[in-house]
Amino acid sequence: GVPDDLSNLLSSACNNPHLKKSLKLKDTIYPKKKEDHYINQKINRHNRYCVEALWQHYAGSTRFLDVVDNHWVALWMGIHDFVPHGKGYKFCKINKRSLSVMDIYENGINKDRAESDFNIYTYILLIAMPSYCNDRSGICETDEFVEVDLRKALPSIYLRPHAQHALLIRRRDKGNINRKAEYYDMASQVTAILRIRVDRVDKWLGNGTLLSKENLFPSPSIDQGYNNLLTYLDNYDKPFDIKKYY
């Protein structure tokens, strides 16, 4: 959609009683002095960051970029494919990538190395942010960027962010909602790219339950926040449906 759509959806979601209670969004204060207006602006920005980050993590694509601060989780994500399907692509099947000896041999003789390399390697991007976010709210703003640590920004009933060590980053729009998609490109912040063969990553990760589909994507019966989103999905305007992983 157009930027105005996103702005209107975020405003609607932030004012929805159920979502506001579930996310524990803050209320603005009654302004008694000039500084109070700046406090209210910050509260409104942070509430919108929380909602947009929630949508990115549990539903679909927004201006935010999903990242993690744990290399084991990054490696696990790198050797799994996420295939959307079903009506409206509401479901997402998680498939583990595999690599045979023949795949490695064919890669050595394949002239189209770019496509071949993509099939046998996983790539981990190291992204630089201006400063480490240690704010108790989980939301840090600099002149150019905003970072949301969902483990702090959302109530603890939302388990998936904790399991995945989930962070979200994007460029600040600085009040201009009509920024084009290219503006939010984070490629300039990539400082290094690690290329590792899929079979080696699989060997490193092993078969522990900590790095498993069931643990990284807790079911609604365990992730109460996820359950709330699915249960009350029709109670608020949204740009997309909550994805169901299996």
Side-chain angles (χ1 to χ4, degrees), residues 94-140:
I94 303 174
N95 296 323
K96 185 176 181 179
R97 297 168 62 189
S98 60
L99 189 62
S100 67
V101 175
M102 186 57 67
D103 291 327
I104 300 172
Y105 173 75
E106 289 181 351
N107 176 70
I109 62 175
N110 194 342
K111 294 181 180 180
D112 187 4
R113 293 299 297 274
E115 180 180 353
S116 181
D117 283 358
F118 180 79
N119 291 330
I120 74 166
Y121 290 101
T122 188
Y123 296 84
I124 305 298
L125 277 62
L126 303 182
I127 301 176
M129 293 297 285
S131 61
Y132 175 71
C133 182
N134 58 3
D135 193 287
R136 291 179 60 186
S137 70
I139 299 175
C140 293

Side-chain angles (χ1 to χ4, degrees), residues 76-84 92-95 164 217 245:
W76 188 93
M77 295 290 182
I79 64 167
H80 286 81
D81 291 325
F82 300 83
V83 184
C92 192
K93 183 173 177 57
I94 303 174
N95 296 323
Q164 296 184 5
F217 291 87
Y245 293 85

